Amino acid sequence: MVNVIARMEIKPHCMDAFLDVLLANAQIVRTENGCLRYDVCRDLEIKDGNDNFVTILETWESESALRAHQQTPHMQSYREKVRDLRLHTTVNVLRPAEKGIG
């Protein structure tokens, strides 16, 4: 199993446009083989007056399922559509903790 935490800061006044694209894409992602979770989240508490963050929590059956997801036409289209709406993105890919690994 592979978990992904993708956190994006959205440009001011672009949140609605960004969410239109992301939420439509999320519906497609959830139907992909190997997708166990794809949740789009907003911060519960606003820090420093900045409400321009979106976090995606993903769980995939395997690394190969995640790699396949990243290559789908709808993900390529999504990246093009939101390119000018985001300030930056951080992505953390995680595996379950097990003794004796790493």
Side-chain angles (χ1 to χ4, degrees):
M1 183 170 19
V2 177
N3 293 291
V4 178
I5 300 171
R7 183 153 171 90
M8 294 151 274
E9 184 173 7
I10 310 309
K11 290 181 179 178
H13 313 293
C14 292
M15 183 62 78
D16 287 344
F18 178 81
L19 287 175
D20 285 346
V21 174
L22 176 58
L23 293 173
N25 191 60
Q27 295 288 63
I28 299 167
V29 172
R30 290 183 188 116
T31 68
E32 289 181 47
N33 289 331
C35 180
L36 303 176
R37 175 185 189 188
Y38 197 88
D39 294 335
V40 176
C41 305
R42 301 276 309 272
D43 290 352
L44 184 62
E45 295 182 19
I46 299 170
K47 297 177 178 100
D48 300 323
N50 188 349
D51 188 29
N52 290 331
F53 287 92
V54 173
T55 302
I56 303 172
L57 305 174
E58 307 176 38
T59 302
W60 296 89
E61 286 180 355
S62 64
E63 289 180 54
S64 60
L66 174 59
R67 283 192 298 274
H69 156 70
Q70 293 167 334
Q71 300 304 316
T72 59
H74 61 266
M75 285 306 296
Q76 293 173 11
S77 175
Y78 158 79
R79 284 189 287 272
E80 289 174 21
K81 290 177 183 177
V82 301
R83 178 180 348 165
D84 295 330
L85 302 175
R86 298 180 294 186
L87 290 172
H88 61 82
T89 301
T90 58
V91 178
N92 294 302
V93 180
L94 311 161
R95 65 170 186 242
E98 297 178 29
K99 291 177 74 172
I101 297 179

